[in-house]
Amino acid sequence: MKIAVVGTGYVGLVTGTCFAEVGIDVTCIDIDKRKIENLKQGILPIYEPGLEEMVLRNTQKERLSFSTDIATSVQGCDVAFIAVGTPPGEDGSADLKYVLAVARSIGQNINDYTVVVTKSTVPVGTARKVQQAIEEELELRGVSIPFDVASNPEFLKEGAAIDDFLKPDRIVVGVSSERAEEVMTKLYKPFLMNGHPLIFMDVPSAEMTKYAANAMLATKISFMNDIANLCEVMGADVNMVRKGIGSDARIGNKFIYPGIGYGGSCFPKDVKALIRTASENGYEMQVLKAVESVNENQKSVLYNKIYKHFDGELAGKTFAVWGLSFKPKTDDMREAPSLVIIQKLLEQGAKVRAYDPVAMKEAEHTLKDSIYYGKDEYEALIDADALLLVTEWPEFRSPNFNVVGKLMKGQVIFDGRNIYDAAELREKGFSYYGIGIKQGVQQETIK
């Protein structure tokens, strides 16, 4: 088979590379000439574990190629994926201008039956708009070329995207014809050999499935953060509560870890878009509005603890921040809680020394030179009045606290992910603050 993937961002690049990995002929397309030239040289625009090696391997085997020429690339292909961005508008709705622009380009250039697949996260009804855009272009050309539009939402976790694609929990495809179903079944056949379920449904249901999945996961996170805040008030330990409810098979133990709010490119954007879609159709998503509100407030929880500990006297203080990306194993800084915390500290006249194993360059795009970027986690601690654990990278889990104590000026740790043992740190002379743990209560560390 031959496929084209338009868009070489996170979703498009992972999708194209993984299809090439199973032997499919893939062309990844982007209008950004510099990005394409870099990709041809093995320079990736994103960080994702294992992706660089896979890109290089499949490029060398000539199963994966990169181009700025959408016209040539979509001609003769069996499937054309649309994997461009859908940034949120000011009203929270998904901006479809890039998706529809690609649809028009496809309509201007296809020369045989093609299944056009929306891989980008798009609102219900987008496939219909894509179909209309392609039909209009075909009409302008004065030709009648058969095509189908399908929806194939992605369920990739940043930091584990390769495994998620090659070993998926499920593959969801929305189609409107038997012919499209046959093509998509053939495309995903290499994955079905390992027993991964391929679920076909109508197109609107597939579009809704993606939003519903992310909204549910965001809801679990915000619910647990709300419980964590109540635990602090009541003197309970949220980590014990988490174990108690996570053992219930109806609830499960995933996405119930308390913290400082979710971020990234998916949850914030998709929750907003689903709320907006509902509003446009006369329905109010009351639960999701609360989810969004809790999450925004949660990003300030760690800062509020800092402010209270120092009695509001933050000017001139130095804070070491471990972790800048919104989660480990990615350099994604979109909607990262670290940005909210750091900005609030800077507004109070504090100084920030930060370190992240991967996201430093990405952070500089937003934070510029307003903070100091450490060479490693220990150098970031020098003369700090407090340490803030913001992103739970593996290398931050077991630091040498004797060294930490010697490098820092103060002896305070604010643990935004509950990865440290409160009793151990207090024995070493540190003041310790976690999430959902009343000050003075010993918490069980995450296992």
Side-chain angles (χ1 to χ4, degrees):
M1 294 189 77
K2 177 183 176 183
I3 70 172
V5 180
V6 186
T8 58
Y10 182 81
V11 174
L13 188 56
V14 171
T15 296
T17 304
C18 287
F19 274 129
E21 182 72 5
V22 297
I24 294 169
D25 182 6
V26 181
T27 302
C28 287
I29 306 143
D30 204 292
I31 60 173
D32 188 331
K33 293 181 180 179
R34 183 176 179 183
K35 184 188 287 189
I36 291 298
E37 287 305 313
N38 283 340
L39 283 166
K40 288 179 178 179
Q41 298 173 38
I43 303 170
L44 275 60
I46 59 170
Y47 173 79
E48 177 65 31
L51 184 59
E52 182 178 347
E53 295 88 341
M54 193 176 286
V55 168
L56 291 172
R57 179 169 61 251
N58 285 283
T59 302
Q60 290 169 358
K61 290 182 178 294
E62 298 184 348
R63 292 193 296 248
L64 178 64
S65 61
F66 301 98
S67 175
T68 57
D69 184 2
I70 188 171
T72 302
S73 300
V74 300
Q75 290 176 0
C77 70
D78 299 286
V79 182
F81 283 93
I82 301 177
V84 293
T86 54
E90 292 184 6
D91 60 0
S93 61
D95 188 342
L96 298 178
K97 64 183 178 183
Y98 302 115
V99 171
L100 296 179
V102 173
R104 284 189 286 272
S105 293
I106 291 172
Q108 292 163 7
N109 293 289
I110 55 173
N111 57 2
D112 201 353
Y113 176 76
T114 307
V115 180
V116 180
V117 182
T118 54
K119 195 70 174 173
S120 305
T121 300
V122 293
V124 177
T126 299
R128 178 169 35 81
K129 295 178 181 178
V130 167
Q131 180 168 344
Q132 183 178 1
I134 295 172
E135 288 174 345
E136 289 174 355
E137 293 301 327
L138 291 174
E139 187 175 344
L140 288 173
R141 289 170 60 188
V143 296
S144 179
I145 297 172
F147 72 96
D148 277 303
V149 177
S151 172
N152 178 209
E154 54 85 16
F155 301 100
L156 306 176
K157 297 187 297 293
E158 293 189 45
I162 300 298
D163 273 352
D164 284 347
F165 198 101
L166 297 177
K167 304 171 185 176
D169 294 326
R170 77 291 201 198
I171 302 164
V172 173
V173 183
V175 294
S176 56
S177 76
E178 290 184 4
R179 189 174 184 182
E181 183 172 334
E182 290 172 2
V183 171
M184 296 304 288
T185 300
K186 182 179 178 182
L187 176 64
Y188 275 109
K189 185 178 179 180
F191 304 91
L192 305 182
M193 292 176 180
N194 292 323
H196 304 301
L198 176 58
I199 305 170
F200 282 102
M201 58 184 69
D202 61 272
V203 175
S205 294
E207 292 173 329
M208 179 61 81
T209 296
K210 169 63 176 178
Y211 278 103
N214 279 354
M216 174 58 77
L217 296 175
T219 298
K220 291 183 73 172
I221 293 171
S222 280
F223 172 80
M224 207 62 202
N225 284 333
D226 228 7
I227 292 294
N229 296 337
L230 181 60
C231 283
E232 289 191 25
V233 174
M234 304 302 295
D237 182 343
V238 74
N239 288 309
M240 296 294 187
V241 175
R242 174 181 58 79
K243 276 199 165 185
I245 67 172
S247 58
D248 187 327
R250 296 169 300 175
I251 297 172
N253 59 12
K254 295 181 179 179
F255 284 84
I256 58 170
Y257 288 79
I260 49 178
Y262 58 76
S265 63
C266 294
F267 289 2
K269 176 173 69 70
D270 293 353
V271 168
K272 284 183 173 65
L274 193 51
I275 291 171
R276 180 66 184 179
T277 296
S279 176
E280 290 173 346
N281 288 274
Y283 186 78
E284 183 181 359
M285 301 292 286
Q286 298 179 55
V287 172
L288 285 190
K289 285 185 176 181
V291 166
E292 187 178 39
S293 176
V294 168
N295 191 61
E296 287 308 304
N297 291 336
Q298 198 68 19
K299 291 182 180 181
S300 297
V301 163
L302 207 64
Y303 169 79
N304 294 339
K305 293 176 184 290
I306 297 166
Y307 190 89
K308 183 176 181 180
H309 176 86
F310 289 102
D311 295 323
E313 301 295 326
L314 302 182
K317 296 285 194 305
T318 299
F319 294 91
V321 174
W322 280 3
L324 293 167
S325 57
F326 87 95
K327 63 180 283 189
K329 298 183 181 180
T330 179
D331 62 350
D332 198 338
M333 290 289 298
R334 288 172 287 187
E335 302 281 349
S338 64
L339 296 175
V340 174
I341 297 166
I342 289 172
Q343 189 58 44
K344 286 180 176 290
L345 290 172
L346 295 177
E347 288 172 357
Q348 292 295 320
K351 299 175 182 178
V352 174
R353 297 172 64 89
Y355 174 74
D356 187 287
V358 170
M360 303 274 266
K361 288 184 179 179
E362 195 63 33
E364 286 185 58
H365 293 318
T366 301
L367 297 170
K368 307 287 193 263
D369 59 356
S370 62
I371 67 172
Y372 176 83
Y373 301 93
K375 295 181 177 65
D376 57 41
E377 62 265 44
Y378 291 107
E379 204 240 346
L381 293 170
I382 295 173
D383 293 331
D385 293 280
L387 165 62
L388 283 56
L389 188 284
V390 175
T391 313
E392 66 278 28
W393 283 90
E395 46 262 68
F396 299 153
R397 286 184 174 271
S398 301
N400 186 327
F401 284 110
N402 293 326
V403 174
V404 170
K406 290 177 181 178
L407 290 172
M408 292 174 62
K409 182 165 58 178
Q411 301 291 288
V412 191
I413 294 178
F414 295 90
D415 182 357
R417 303 295 179 179
N418 287 359
I419 68 172
Y420 299 135
D421 187 300
E424 176 189 353
L425 290 177
R426 287 170 184 146
E427 284 178 7
K428 292 180 178 294
F430 290 96
S431 294
Y432 174 87
Y433 295 86
I435 304 295
I437 308 153
K438 187 176 181 180
Q439 185 69 358
V441 174
Q442 179 177 339
Q443 110 277 13
E444 181 178 349
T445 52
I446 291 176
K447 292 183 174 62

